[in-house]
Structure formats: C-alpha cells, structure tokens
C-alpha cells in the first residue's frame, strides 16, 4: 500500500510538474508573442514616420518647384516688359529725331 501511495504521490508530483512546465511554456510563448507584436508595432510606426517624412520632403520639393517656376515666369515677364519699354523708347526717340530733323529743315527753308 505504501508503494502504491508513493507511486500515486510520484504520479501527482509528475502531473503538477508537467502543469507547471506547461504554464511556464505558455507564459514564455505569450511573452514572446507580445514582444513580437511590440516589435511589429514599432516597425509599423517607423515605416509610417518614413512615409510621412517622404511625403513632407516631396511636398516641400513641389512647393520649391512652384516657387522657382513663378519666380522664372515673373523674371520672364519683367524681361519682356523691359524689352517692350525699350522698343517703345526707341520708337519715341526715332519720332523725336524725325520731328527735330523736320523742324530743322523747316527752319533752314
């Protein structure tokens, strides 16, 4: 009977040890899973930050390109305006000289 009780006690201890080992393994698996989920979330956040940075850089580039384009267009308009003013000045100067020449000829006659 003692051997039987000892065998039962040994069996009970084995079951308790197995359950304890299983609980530890489950706890380790749960902790590993949580760690993996945290790492995945950190990676997702890093990826989103990179995408946001890229979008910001691209938006800044587009703004800079639009600024440069407007600046160039304004410069071209100034240049065209200056050329037109020069042309108008040359026409006026030519008319003034023609007028002066006519007046001088008229005075000579």
């Amino acid at each position: 009977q003692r051997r039987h009780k000892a065998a039962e006690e040994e069996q009970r201890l084995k079951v308790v040890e197995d359950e304890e080992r299983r609980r530890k393994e489950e706890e380790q698996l749960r902790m590993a899973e949580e760690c993996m989920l945290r790492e995945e979330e950190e990676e997702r956040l890093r990826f989103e930050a990179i995408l946001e940075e890229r979008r910001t850089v691209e938006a800044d580039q587009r703004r800079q390109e639009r600024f440069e384009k407007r600046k160039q267009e304004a410069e071209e308009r100034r240049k065209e305006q200056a050329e037109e003013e020069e042309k108008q000045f040359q026409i006026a100067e030519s008319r003034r000289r023609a007028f002066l020449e006519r007046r001088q000829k008229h005075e000579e006659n």
Side-chain angles (χ1 to χ4, degrees):
Q1 193 176 1
R2 272 193 211 157
R3 252 186 272 145
H4 182 66
K5 275 203 170 200
E8 281 180 353
E9 182 63 21
E10 196 174 306
Q11 184 63 30
R12 189 185 68 74
L13 284 174
K14 186 176 183 316
V15 168
V16 168
E17 288 173 356
D18 287 348
E19 286 177 357
E20 184 62 28
R21 186 172 55 252
R22 185 182 50 77
R23 274 197 302 277
K24 284 182 181 177
E25 288 173 354
E26 287 176 355
E27 180 65 16
Q28 286 177 340
L29 282 173
R30 186 186 63 73
M31 289 171 59
E33 200 171 82
E34 287 176 0
C35 181
M36 194 171 69
L37 289 173
R38 275 194 307 275
E39 288 173 354
E40 286 175 356
E41 179 64 9
E42 289 170 0
E43 182 64 25
R44 185 186 67 77
L45 291 173
R46 279 193 298 273
F47 181 71
E48 285 181 4
I50 290 169
L51 285 178
E52 184 60 30
E53 176 67 20
R54 185 177 296 158
R55 283 191 288 267
T56 300
V57 167
E58 289 171 351
D60 288 348
Q61 282 180 322
R62 286 191 300 274
R63 267 193 295 281
Q64 184 65 28
E65 288 168 1
R66 286 192 302 270
F67 171 77
E68 291 297 330
K69 183 178 179 185
R70 287 192 303 272
K71 184 176 159 186
Q72 183 179 358
E73 289 170 348
E75 183 60 34
E76 288 172 5
R77 283 192 301 275
R78 279 192 293 276
K79 184 177 175 183
E80 289 170 1
Q81 184 178 0
E83 289 172 355
E84 183 60 29
E85 288 172 358
E86 177 64 23
K87 182 176 158 187
Q88 293 299 323
F89 174 78
Q90 292 298 332
I91 290 170
E93 188 63 19
S94 174
R95 288 178 181 162
R96 188 183 70 78
R97 277 194 305 270
F99 171 77
L100 290 175
E101 286 174 8
R102 282 194 309 275
R103 193 171 78 182
Q104 187 177 6
K105 282 182 184 175
H106 180 69
E107 288 174 358
E108 289 174 357
N109 291 333

